[in-house]
Amino acid sequence: MSKFSSVNKELIEILNNEYISALNDFNMDNWLACFSQQGQYILTAEENIRRNLPVAFMLDDCYARLKDRVKQVMEIQYDSSEHYQMRHFTQLISATESENGVIETKFNFSVYYTPRDTHQTETLCVGKYEDSIVIEKGEALFQKRVAIVDTNVLPRYVVYPV
Amino acid sequence: MSTKNNSTPSLDWPAKTNHVPKEVFEMEGLWEEELKNIFYGEEWHPIVHRAEIPNPGDYKAAQLGEINVFAVHGDDGEIRVFQNTCTHRGTSLVTESSGNKKELECPYHRWLFNLEGDLVGCPGDREFSPDFDKKDYGLLKLRVEAFYGLYFATMSDKTPPLKEYFGESFYEPLQRLLGGDGRLNLIGYQKVIYDCNWKAYCDNDGYHGALLHKAFAMLNWQGGQGTQIVTKNGHLCFDSELTMPDHVDALEDGSILDFKGTETSNGSIVLMSFPITVYTKHMDMLNIRYSFPKGPKGVEVHYAYFSHQDDDDEMVRHRIRQSSNLLGPCGLISMEDASVFSRIDKGNRTQGDAIFQKGVKDEYAIPLEVGQTDETGNLARWERYRELMGFERRAK
Ligand code: FES
Ligand SMILES: [Fe+2]
């Protein structure tokens, strides 16, 4: 079976591009806008997934949590964080539609970061996204985006979602 | 900086106990001395909780100073800690951070060790040296003591027994933090490297809480009654009641801050054992932070989170949500600490002393009775560090 069975790849790519642009442009409202009202976001380590351990780095398991994530980044911790520029590179690996119309996608990602003091670019993490995407009013939205990092030991504290 | 006997670094330590020379975070050559005098000295270091390696054959790799070690759950149910090296020519035996093995076979010349560390096979041993005896070639075992399932290792025979080393003011809250009976389940890890010297990482204080962490103020959190107890050998214990606001307006999903509190605790416990480990029981999170200095620069922290075996599904789910969102390198109430570690490190590449103020009553004493929101709880640790490193305090 094709890894891209009859799904609208273009809508998926547009959503993913909006997602990474939101993060790379520090626009947390646009990040939130990538999720449906049932949206969830999880950032976790490959080790936790492999060992069936449910704790994550970030676990926003409902839309209210996603909104609180925006508040955490933009208000609560804004002035104590050392901010950095992120740059995402992603690659669509598969997209398949399940019976209930939800599209399951996988992307590889690598994310670089450039701190605003040293201006030296380093790798923040490498991993994969496992997504559930719904099409609402002709627009693709994440019902769930799970970022699983191979980088089980992150090189710094992490201010923003990946 | 000056040097005494050959190249052992020496530091001119201020007379006032609330002054710490910033050089101590940066000076070259200190790390080697710290390894010798502290990490390989008379201290207990937590390596693993039984919940992390619950079955025979389960192992977990760690470091003690710069020595690679691993803890393994034996077929006899005992947990042992070995140096990660074959007793033949030194090949490392476990190459992954965790896993399960039936036995420990070295791939180089196929020496075989059982999970208890005995050498049970070595091809061609009829041609070995005349006095070769398998019994002399068991894995290098560290001295270990367990406390409610948490295994501590030490490099020294002279380290006092665990309870004596910690004292009741430390081990009693540690018992509560370990769920009262140590019957825990592992629910996950968060691992990260902080960009600071290890001593900046463990210098977090009681003063900053409500000031650095805006979440506390926004959520209208009142600290609750509590104590900060310091031991002479530099361990620290914060034990406070946790009074949670009835209603959390600042968050859309206030349930993340529910305090169900089923186990034996007032609320919040933060422990710091010399030289570097932090343990917390904050709201319903049970957390041990195994910490590994990466030499003089950087410290790798493994936040391990636990649930209790008696928890119902709802409680486990709640602990998972809190553990994933409040503490650790991205947490709502702890990411700022990480930021400060890194900024302290950069800020200490300047001249002068780092100065403690809140709670100082006598600038020439080491206080062991400390208020809950004082920063003087750190001074006993600095004093112990200074003594172990052999730095002379300047005359008054
Ligand atoms: S080094 Fe391990 S068997 Fe030779
Ligand atoms: Fe803090």
Side-chain angles (χ1 to χ4, degrees), chain A residues 47-48 51 53-57 59 61-62 65 68-69 71-72 76-77 80-82 117 152 154-158, chain B residues 52 98 187 189-193 214 218 250-253 320-321 324-325 329-332 335-336 339 342-343 346:
Chain A
E47 177 182 23
N48 284 339
R51 296 179 62 182
L53 300 170
V55 164
F57 287 112
L59 182 63
D61 54 2
C62 58
R65 279 286 321 147
D68 287 336
R69 177 70 53 194
K71 187 164 191 175
Q72 179 176 343
I76 301 177
Q77 296 179 326
S80 49
S81 309
E82 297 157 292
D117 53 355
N152 286 322
L154 294 174
R156 57 160 294 144
Y157 65 92
V158 171
Chain B
E52 296 171 81
S98 65
I187 52 173
Y189 294 105
Q190 295 164 341
K191 300 182 178 178
V192 64
I193 293 176
K214 278 200 183 161
M218 287 182 60
L251 293 179
E252 296 276 329
D253 180 1
I320 292 164
R321 291 186 90 226
S324 301
N325 289 318
C330 322
L332 177 68
M335 191 216 73
E336 300 98 334
S339 160
S342 145
R343 291 170 73 158
K346 291 177 185 128

Tab-separated table of all heavy atoms in Angstrom, chain A residues 47-48 51 53-57 59 61-62 65 68-69 71-72 76-77 80-82 117 152 154-158, chain B residues 52 98 187 189-193 214 218 250-253 320-321 324-325 329-332 335-336 339 342-343 346:
chain	number	residue	atom	x	y	z
A	47	GLU	N	13.219	7.456	24.267
A	47	GLU	CA	13.405	6.479	25.337
A	47	GLU	C	12.096	6.209	26.083
A	47	GLU	O	11.784	5.060	26.418
A	47	GLU	CB	14.464	6.988	26.327
A	47	GLU	CG	14.662	6.049	27.505
A	47	GLU	CD	15.669	6.538	28.540
A	47	GLU	OE1	15.913	7.758	28.625
A	47	GLU	OE2	16.197	5.688	29.275
A	48	ASN	N	11.334	7.268	26.349
A	48	ASN	CA	10.068	7.078	27.056
A	48	ASN	C	9.077	6.278	26.213
A	48	ASN	O	8.366	5.414	26.728
A	48	ASN	CB	9.463	8.434	27.442
A	48	ASN	CG	10.180	9.056	28.629
A	48	ASN	OD1	10.854	8.373	29.406
A	48	ASN	ND2	10.058	10.357	28.780
A	51	ARG	N	10.227	2.584	26.073
A	51	ARG	CA	10.068	1.858	27.329
A	51	ARG	C	8.653	1.967	27.884
A	51	ARG	O	8.387	1.584	29.017
A	51	ARG	CB	11.086	2.377	28.354
A	51	ARG	CG	12.520	2.098	27.922
A	51	ARG	CD	13.522	2.632	28.911
A	51	ARG	NE	13.398	2.009	30.224
A	51	ARG	CZ	14.139	2.323	31.271
A	51	ARG	NH1	15.069	3.263	31.163
A	51	ARG	NH2	13.968	1.723	32.434
A	53	LEU	N	6.948	4.539	28.818
A	53	LEU	CA	6.863	5.444	29.963
A	53	LEU	C	6.115	6.700	29.527
A	53	LEU	O	6.517	7.365	28.575
A	53	LEU	CB	8.271	5.796	30.460
A	53	LEU	CG	9.122	4.603	30.931
A	53	LEU	CD1	10.571	5.022	31.164
A	53	LEU	CD2	8.529	4.000	32.202
A	54	PRO	N	5.025	7.023	30.198
A	54	PRO	CA	4.131	8.071	29.687
A	54	PRO	C	4.558	9.515	29.959
A	54	PRO	O	4.008	10.437	29.360
A	54	PRO	CB	2.814	7.770	30.409
A	54	PRO	CG	3.212	7.050	31.658
A	54	PRO	CD	4.453	6.282	31.321
A	55	VAL	N	5.522	9.739	30.843
A	55	VAL	CA	5.926	11.123	31.119
A	55	VAL	C	6.572	11.723	29.870
A	55	VAL	O	7.275	11.035	29.132
A	55	VAL	CB	6.882	11.193	32.331
A	55	VAL	CG1	7.615	12.522	32.398
A	55	VAL	CG2	6.097	10.970	33.624
A	56	ALA	N	6.310	13.006	29.637
A	56	ALA	CA	6.832	13.705	28.461
A	56	ALA	C	7.555	14.971	28.906
A	56	ALA	O	7.577	15.303	30.092
A	56	ALA	CB	5.678	14.046	27.522
A	57	PHE	N	8.177	15.665	27.957
A	57	PHE	CA	8.729	16.987	28.263
A	57	PHE	C	7.597	18.026	28.328
A	57	PHE	O	7.626	18.951	29.126
A	57	PHE	CB	9.733	17.425	27.186
A	57	PHE	CG	11.044	16.707	27.228
A	57	PHE	CD1	11.408	15.826	26.218
A	57	PHE	CD2	11.940	16.921	28.258
A	57	PHE	CE1	12.636	15.176	26.235
A	57	PHE	CE2	13.172	16.270	28.293
A	57	PHE	CZ	13.517	15.397	27.275
A	59	LEU	N	3.197	17.980	27.836
A	59	LEU	CA	2.041	17.097	27.644
A	59	LEU	C	0.777	17.944	27.677
A	59	LEU	O	0.176	18.146	28.726
A	59	LEU	CB	2.022	16.033	28.746
A	59	LEU	CG	0.911	14.988	28.702
A	59	LEU	CD1	0.991	14.137	27.447
A	59	LEU	CD2	0.985	14.085	29.925
A	61	ASP	N	-2.649	17.847	26.747
A	61	ASP	CA	-3.577	16.806	26.306
A	61	ASP	C	-4.998	17.312	26.101
A	61	ASP	O	-5.929	16.520	26.027
A	61	ASP	CB	-3.544	15.633	27.292
A	61	ASP	CG	-3.811	16.076	28.724
A	61	ASP	OD1	-4.059	17.278	28.945
A	61	ASP	OD2	-3.765	15.213	29.621
A	62	CYS	N	-5.169	18.640	26.044
A	62	CYS	CA	-6.472	19.202	25.707
A	62	CYS	C	-6.245	20.623	25.214
A	62	CYS	O	-5.147	21.173	25.384
A	62	CYS	CB	-7.411	19.192	26.925
A	62	CYS	SG	-6.753	20.097	28.335
A	65	ARG	N	-4.948	23.195	27.677
A	65	ARG	CA	-3.504	23.083	27.944
A	65	ARG	C	-2.691	23.766	26.838
A	65	ARG	O	-1.669	24.381	27.102
A	65	ARG	CB	-3.078	21.616	28.040
A	65	ARG	CG	-3.324	20.917	29.367
A	65	ARG	CD	-2.375	21.334	30.480
A	65	ARG	NE	-1.018	21.534	30.030
A	65	ARG	CZ	-0.177	22.441	30.547
A	65	ARG	NH1	-0.564	23.223	31.533
A	65	ARG	NH2	1.044	22.547	30.094
A	68	ASP	N	-2.707	27.285	27.589
A	68	ASP	CA	-1.814	27.555	28.722
A	68	ASP	C	-0.347	27.492	28.301
A	68	ASP	O	0.500	28.184	28.868
A	68	ASP	CB	-2.092	26.570	29.866
A	68	ASP	CG	-3.407	26.879	30.570
A	68	ASP	OD1	-3.851	28.045	30.499
A	68	ASP	OD2	-3.991	25.957	31.176
A	69	ARG	N	-0.047	26.673	27.317
A	69	ARG	CA	1.331	26.605	26.793
A	69	ARG	C	1.708	27.969	26.200
A	69	ARG	O	2.801	28.477	26.426
A	69	ARG	CB	1.419	25.498	25.739
A	69	ARG	CG	2.756	25.345	25.050
A	69	ARG	CD	3.846	24.806	25.944
A	69	ARG	NE	3.436	23.566	26.591
A	69	ARG	CZ	4.085	23.021	27.639
A	69	ARG	NH1	5.165	23.593	28.133
A	69	ARG	NH2	3.641	21.910	28.187
A	71	LYS	N	0.467	30.831	26.986
A	71	LYS	CA	0.610	31.778	28.094
A	71	LYS	C	1.938	31.582	28.826
A	71	LYS	O	2.603	32.542	29.224
A	71	LYS	CB	-0.554	31.601	29.068
A	71	LYS	CG	-0.580	32.641	30.158
A	71	LYS	CD	-1.928	32.665	30.849
A	71	LYS	CE	-2.028	33.888	31.735
A	71	LYS	NZ	-3.346	34.033	32.345
A	72	GLN	N	2.313	30.316	29.013
A	72	GLN	CA	3.583	30.019	29.686
A	72	GLN	C	4.750	30.646	28.922
A	72	GLN	O	5.624	31.287	29.496
A	72	GLN	CB	3.767	28.497	29.789
A	72	GLN	CG	5.077	28.078	30.454
A	72	GLN	CD	5.196	26.560	30.636
A	72	GLN	OE1	4.206	25.837	30.560
A	72	GLN	NE2	6.398	26.088	30.863
A	76	ILE	N	4.222	33.954	31.309
A	76	ILE	CA	4.713	33.520	32.620
A	76	ILE	C	6.240	33.446	32.637
A	76	ILE	O	6.881	33.885	33.583
A	76	ILE	CB	4.086	32.156	33.010
A	76	ILE	CG1	2.566	32.279	33.040
A	76	ILE	CG2	4.606	31.684	34.368
A	76	ILE	CD1	1.819	30.989	33.328
A	77	GLN	N	6.830	32.918	31.581
A	77	GLN	CA	8.288	32.710	31.592
A	77	GLN	C	9.025	33.595	30.601
A	77	GLN	O	10.214	33.422	30.386
A	77	GLN	CB	8.591	31.228	31.323
A	77	GLN	CG	8.039	30.341	32.427
A	77	GLN	CD	8.273	28.865	32.212
A	77	GLN	OE1	8.261	28.394	31.091
A	77	GLN	NE2	8.456	28.135	33.298
A	80	SER	N	12.169	35.438	32.001
A	80	SER	CA	13.257	34.668	32.618
A	80	SER	C	13.953	33.738	31.626
A	80	SER	O	14.995	33.182	31.924
A	80	SER	CB	12.747	33.883	33.832
A	80	SER	OG	11.583	33.179	33.505
A	81	SER	N	13.381	33.583	30.430
A	81	SER	CA	13.994	32.685	29.442
A	81	SER	C	15.141	33.374	28.725
A	81	SER	O	15.108	34.570	28.495
A	81	SER	CB	12.972	32.288	28.369
A	81	SER	OG	11.793	31.818	28.953
A	82	GLU	N	16.150	32.591	28.355
A	82	GLU	CA	17.131	33.065	27.385
A	82	GLU	C	16.588	32.606	26.032
A	82	GLU	O	16.615	31.424	25.719
A	82	GLU	CB	18.495	32.428	27.637
A	82	GLU	CG	19.106	32.775	28.984
A	82	GLU	CD	20.115	31.714	29.399
A	82	GLU	OE1	19.695	30.575	29.690
A	82	GLU	OE2	21.309	32.010	29.427
A	117	ASP	N	22.808	35.316	22.381
A	117	ASP	CA	24.054	35.899	22.900
A	117	ASP	C	25.270	35.377	22.114
A	117	ASP	O	26.044	36.148	21.587
A	117	ASP	CB	24.206	35.675	24.416
A	117	ASP	CG	24.061	34.221	24.846
A	117	ASP	OD1	23.754	33.359	24.008
A	117	ASP	OD2	24.247	33.943	26.056
A	152	ASN	N	17.490	12.009	23.327
A	152	ASN	CA	16.919	11.740	24.655
A	152	ASN	C	17.456	12.683	25.721
A	152	ASN	O	16.769	12.961	26.699
A	152	ASN	CB	17.195	10.292	25.055
A	152	ASN	CG	16.326	9.315	24.288
A	152	ASN	OD1	15.160	9.596	24.036
A	152	ASN	ND2	16.886	8.196	23.901
A	154	LEU	N	18.390	16.369	26.040
A	154	LEU	CA	18.333	17.658	25.341
A	154	LEU	C	19.540	18.509	25.715
A	154	LEU	O	20.029	18.438	26.840
A	154	LEU	CB	17.038	18.399	25.698
A	154	LEU	CG	15.751	17.727	25.213
A	154	LEU	CD1	14.526	18.455	25.752
A	154	LEU	CD2	15.713	17.686	23.682
A	155	PRO	N	20.034	19.320	24.782
A	155	PRO	CA	21.264	20.073	25.047
A	155	PRO	C	21.053	21.335	25.877
A	155	PRO	O	22.023	21.999	26.223
A	155	PRO	CB	21.746	20.434	23.644
A	155	PRO	CG	20.494	20.516	22.837
A	155	PRO	CD	19.563	19.482	23.406
A	156	ARG	N	19.825	21.683	26.176
A	156	ARG	CA	19.528	22.868	26.983
A	156	ARG	C	18.074	22.765	27.445
A	156	ARG	O	17.329	21.910	26.976
A	156	ARG	CB	19.709	24.147	26.174
A	156	ARG	CG	18.847	24.193	24.899
A	156	ARG	CD	18.676	25.606	24.381
A	156	ARG	NE	17.901	26.392	25.319
A	156	ARG	CZ	18.111	27.683	25.572
A	156	ARG	NH1	19.028	28.353	24.944
A	156	ARG	NH2	17.366	28.323	26.465
A	157	TYR	N	17.674	23.681	28.351
A	157	TYR	CA	16.245	23.717	28.685
A	157	TYR	C	15.491	24.243	27.475
A	157	TYR	O	16.043	24.958	26.643
A	157	TYR	CB	16.005	24.547	29.945
A	157	TYR	CG	16.333	26.015	29.822
A	157	TYR	CD1	15.363	26.946	29.435
A	157	TYR	CD2	17.609	26.490	30.105
A	157	TYR	CE1	15.662	28.293	29.334
A	157	TYR	CE2	17.919	27.838	29.998
A	157	TYR	CZ	16.938	28.735	29.609
A	157	TYR	OH	17.237	30.065	29.489
A	158	VAL	N	14.247	23.860	27.377
A	158	VAL	CA	13.495	24.130	26.156
A	158	VAL	C	12.339	25.075	26.468
A	158	VAL	O	11.494	24.785	27.306
A	158	VAL	CB	13.008	22.803	25.545
A	158	VAL	CG1	12.044	23.055	24.398
A	158	VAL	CG2	14.211	22.008	25.047
B	52	GLU	N	13.134	1.489	38.739
B	52	GLU	CA	13.689	1.714	37.394
B	52	GLU	C	14.218	0.431	36.771
B	52	GLU	O	14.361	0.347	35.554
B	52	GLU	CB	14.829	2.739	37.463
B	52	GLU	CG	14.384	4.121	37.901
B	52	GLU	CD	15.580	5.020	38.171
B	52	GLU	OE1	16.132	5.571	37.205
B	52	GLU	OE2	15.986	5.153	39.346
B	98	SER	N	20.128	1.739	29.251
B	98	SER	CA	19.333	0.812	30.068
B	98	SER	C	18.976	-0.379	29.204
B	98	SER	O	19.090	-0.326	27.980
B	98	SER	CB	18.053	1.498	30.569
B	98	SER	OG	17.223	1.802	29.468
B	187	ILE	N	7.480	6.235	35.986
B	187	ILE	CA	6.562	6.688	34.920
B	187	ILE	C	7.277	7.478	33.830
B	187	ILE	O	6.668	7.838	32.829
B	187	ILE	CB	5.350	7.482	35.477
B	187	ILE	CG1	5.793	8.626	36.392
B	187	ILE	CG2	4.394	6.547	36.203
B	187	ILE	CD1	4.640	9.532	36.831
B	189	TYR	N	11.167	9.660	32.221
B	189	TYR	CA	12.355	10.493	32.415
B	189	TYR	C	12.263	11.770	31.593
B	189	TYR	O	11.644	11.793	30.523
B	189	TYR	CB	13.609	9.761	31.926
B	189	TYR	CG	14.008	8.527	32.697
B	189	TYR	CD1	13.776	7.262	32.169
B	189	TYR	CD2	14.645	8.628	33.922
B	189	TYR	CE1	14.165	6.119	32.859
B	189	TYR	CE2	15.042	7.484	34.611
B	189	TYR	CZ	14.800	6.242	34.075
B	189	TYR	OH	15.189	5.117	34.749
B	190	GLN	N	12.927	12.783	32.085
B	190	GLN	CA	13.286	13.946	31.264
B	190	GLN	C	14.782	14.135	31.464
B	190	GLN	O	15.249	14.236	32.595
B	190	GLN	CB	12.550	15.204	31.742
B	190	GLN	CG	11.038	15.142	31.563
B	190	GLN	CD	10.333	16.203	32.374
B	190	GLN	OE1	10.890	16.754	33.320
B	190	GLN	NE2	9.087	16.481	32.023
B	191	LYS	N	15.530	14.176	30.363
B	191	LYS	CA	16.985	14.282	30.475
B	191	LYS	C	17.463	15.522	29.720
B	191	LYS	O	16.984	15.808	28.628
B	191	LYS	CB	17.655	13.022	29.916
B	191	LYS	CG	17.229	11.753	30.662
B	191	LYS	CD	17.922	10.508	30.137
B	191	LYS	CE	17.492	9.285	30.965
B	191	LYS	NZ	18.119	8.045	30.460
B	192	VAL	N	18.431	16.189	30.314
B	192	VAL	CA	18.845	17.475	29.750
B	192	VAL	C	20.262	17.796	30.215
B	192	VAL	O	20.710	17.277	31.246
B	192	VAL	CB	17.858	18.589	30.207
B	192	VAL	CG1	17.901	18.792	31.709
B	192	VAL	CG2	18.105	19.913	29.484
B	193	ILE	N	20.944	18.618	29.445
B	193	ILE	CA	22.229	19.144	29.895
B	193	ILE	C	22.063	20.626	30.186
B	193	ILE	O	21.546	21.372	29.347
B	193	ILE	CB	23.325	18.937	28.825
B	193	ILE	CG1	23.595	17.433	28.678
B	193	ILE	CG2	24.617	19.665	29.205
B	193	ILE	CD1	24.578	17.085	27.597
B	214	LYS	N	7.245	33.265	38.322
B	214	LYS	CA	6.048	34.100	38.204
B	214	LYS	C	4.776	33.287	38.366
B	214	LYS	O	3.753	33.814	38.779
B	214	LYS	CB	6.035	34.786	36.846
B	214	LYS	CG	6.870	36.035	36.783
B	214	LYS	CD	6.393	36.854	35.604
B	214	LYS	CE	7.242	38.097	35.432
B	214	LYS	NZ	7.089	38.631	34.074
B	218	MET	N	1.271	34.479	39.994
B	218	MET	CA	0.067	34.514	39.157
B	218	MET	C	-1.005	33.588	39.684
B	218	MET	O	-2.193	33.838	39.556
B	218	MET	CB	0.414	34.085	37.734
B	218	MET	CG	1.188	35.126	36.982
B	218	MET	SD	1.511	34.586	35.297
B	218	MET	CE	-0.137	34.374	34.671
B	250	ALA	N	-5.604	31.972	36.544
B	250	ALA	CA	-4.579	32.339	35.561
B	250	ALA	C	-4.409	31.296	34.476
B	250	ALA	O	-3.850	31.574	33.423
B	250	ALA	CB	-3.251	32.573	36.267
B	251	LEU	N	-4.885	30.072	34.715
B	251	LEU	CA	-4.746	29.028	33.708
B	251	LEU	C	-6.114	28.593	33.197
B	251	LEU	O	-7.103	28.615	33.936
B	251	LEU	CB	-4.024	27.804	34.293
B	251	LEU	CG	-2.550	27.974	34.691
B	251	LEU	CD1	-2.014	26.673	35.270
B	251	LEU	CD2	-1.708	28.419	33.508
B	252	GLU	N	-6.143	28.199	31.934
B	252	GLU	CA	-7.384	27.664	31.361
B	252	GLU	C	-7.695	26.306	31.982
B	252	GLU	O	-8.837	25.947	32.194
B	252	GLU	CB	-7.218	27.473	29.850
B	252	GLU	CG	-6.983	28.755	29.081
B	252	GLU	CD	-8.286	29.464	28.747
B	252	GLU	OE1	-9.294	28.768	28.570
B	252	GLU	OE2	-8.271	30.710	28.677
B	253	ASP	N	-6.632	25.542	32.213
B	253	ASP	CA	-6.801	24.200	32.767
B	253	ASP	C	-6.126	24.136	34.136
B	253	ASP	O	-4.956	23.763	34.257
B	253	ASP	CB	-6.199	23.157	31.816
B	253	ASP	CG	-6.358	21.735	32.347
B	253	ASP	OD1	-6.955	21.570	33.446
B	253	ASP	OD2	-5.891	20.799	31.687
B	320	ILE	N	1.220	11.837	35.932
B	320	ILE	CA	1.870	11.943	34.608
B	320	ILE	C	1.712	13.356	34.063
B	320	ILE	O	2.661	13.957	33.566
B	320	ILE	CB	1.257	10.912	33.638
B	320	ILE	CG1	1.614	9.487	34.064
B	320	ILE	CG2	1.732	11.170	32.202
B	320	ILE	CD1	0.758	8.411	33.405
B	321	ARG	N	0.517	13.906	34.189
B	321	ARG	CA	0.264	15.265	33.663
B	321	ARG	C	1.099	16.296	34.410
B	321	ARG	O	1.693	17.192	33.815
B	321	ARG	CB	-1.217	15.624	33.812
B	321	ARG	CG	-2.138	14.847	32.924
B	321	ARG	CD	-3.559	15.376	33.053
B	321	ARG	NE	-3.861	16.432	32.101
B	321	ARG	CZ	-4.464	17.565	32.401
B	321	ARG	NH1	-4.823	17.830	33.636
B	321	ARG	NH2	-4.711	18.463	31.464
B	324	SER	N	4.895	15.952	33.697
B	324	SER	CA	5.269	16.350	32.338
B	324	SER	C	5.197	17.859	32.125
B	324	SER	O	5.759	18.350	31.148
B	324	SER	CB	4.334	15.685	31.326
B	324	SER	OG	4.390	14.288	31.430
B	325	ASN	N	4.500	18.552	32.973
B	325	ASN	CA	4.262	19.968	32.679
B	325	ASN	C	4.764	20.949	33.726
B	325	ASN	O	4.863	22.140	33.449
B	325	ASN	CB	2.768	20.212	32.454
B	325	ASN	CG	2.296	19.616	31.131
B	325	ASN	OD1	2.973	19.732	30.120
B	325	ASN	ND2	1.161	18.960	31.155
B	329	PRO	N	13.064	20.434	32.465
B	329	PRO	CA	13.685	21.476	31.639
B	329	PRO	C	12.707	22.312	30.834
B	329	PRO	O	13.114	23.235	30.142
B	329	PRO	CB	14.601	20.677	30.706
B	329	PRO	CG	14.025	19.315	30.659
B	329	PRO	CD	13.380	19.074	31.995
B	330	CYS	N	11.392	22.003	30.895
B	330	CYS	CA	10.395	22.820	30.199
B	330	CYS	C	9.276	23.206	31.156
B	330	CYS	O	8.278	23.769	30.735
B	330	CYS	CB	9.758	22.045	29.052
B	330	CYS	SG	10.853	20.981	28.119
B	331	GLY	N	9.404	22.898	32.432
B	331	GLY	CA	8.276	22.948	33.350
B	331	GLY	C	7.801	24.346	33.700
B	331	GLY	O	8.571	25.290	33.775
B	332	LEU	N	6.502	24.424	33.960
B	332	LEU	CA	5.875	25.703	34.305
B	332	LEU	C	6.486	26.328	35.551
B	332	LEU	O	6.576	27.547	35.668
B	332	LEU	CB	4.364	25.478	34.525
B	332	LEU	CG	3.541	26.688	34.959
B	332	LEU	CD1	3.460	27.717	33.856
B	332	LEU	CD2	2.144	26.260	35.395
B	335	MET	N	11.353	25.747	34.744
B	335	MET	CA	12.222	26.112	33.630
B	335	MET	C	13.076	27.326	33.985
B	335	MET	O	14.229	27.443	33.568
B	335	MET	CB	11.399	26.413	32.382
B	335	MET	CG	12.261	26.540	31.144
B	335	MET	SD	11.653	27.789	30.019
B	335	MET	CE	12.082	29.269	30.902
B	336	GLU	N	12.510	28.217	34.799
B	336	GLU	CA	13.266	29.423	35.173
B	336	GLU	C	14.522	29.066	35.966
B	336	GLU	O	15.526	29.763	35.868
B	336	GLU	CB	12.417	30.364	36.030
B	336	GLU	CG	11.158	30.864	35.358
B	336	GLU	CD	9.942	30.063	35.760
B	336	GLU	OE1	10.100	28.881	36.136
B	336	GLU	OE2	8.833	30.615	35.710
B	339	SER	N	17.134	28.313	33.548
B	339	SER	CA	17.640	29.542	32.949
B	339	SER	C	18.631	30.230	33.885
B	339	SER	O	19.684	30.714	33.450
B	339	SER	CB	16.447	30.452	32.637
B	339	SER	OG	16.865	31.770	32.507
B	342	SER	N	22.182	28.657	33.971
B	342	SER	CA	22.998	29.051	32.833
B	342	SER	C	23.449	30.510	32.974
B	342	SER	O	24.590	30.856	32.669
B	342	SER	CB	22.175	28.797	31.564
B	342	SER	OG	22.409	29.741	30.597
B	343	ARG	N	22.556	31.360	33.491
B	343	ARG	CA	22.918	32.774	33.618
B	343	ARG	C	23.897	33.006	34.764
B	343	ARG	O	24.749	33.888	34.697
B	343	ARG	CB	21.648	33.609	33.785
B	343	ARG	CG	20.844	33.605	32.500
B	343	ARG	CD	19.476	34.195	32.651
B	343	ARG	NE	19.511	35.644	32.797
B	343	ARG	CZ	18.472	36.430	32.519
B	343	ARG	NH1	17.348	35.907	32.084
B	343	ARG	NH2	18.560	37.724	32.682
B	346	LYS	N	27.300	32.178	33.397
B	346	LYS	CA	27.871	33.257	32.571
B	346	LYS	C	28.239	34.443	33.447
B	346	LYS	O	29.300	35.052	33.286
B	346	LYS	CB	26.872	33.682	31.500
B	346	LYS	CG	26.671	32.614	30.457
B	346	LYS	CD	25.621	33.002	29.424
B	346	LYS	CE	25.379	31.843	28.480
B	346	LYS	NZ	23.957	31.513	28.361
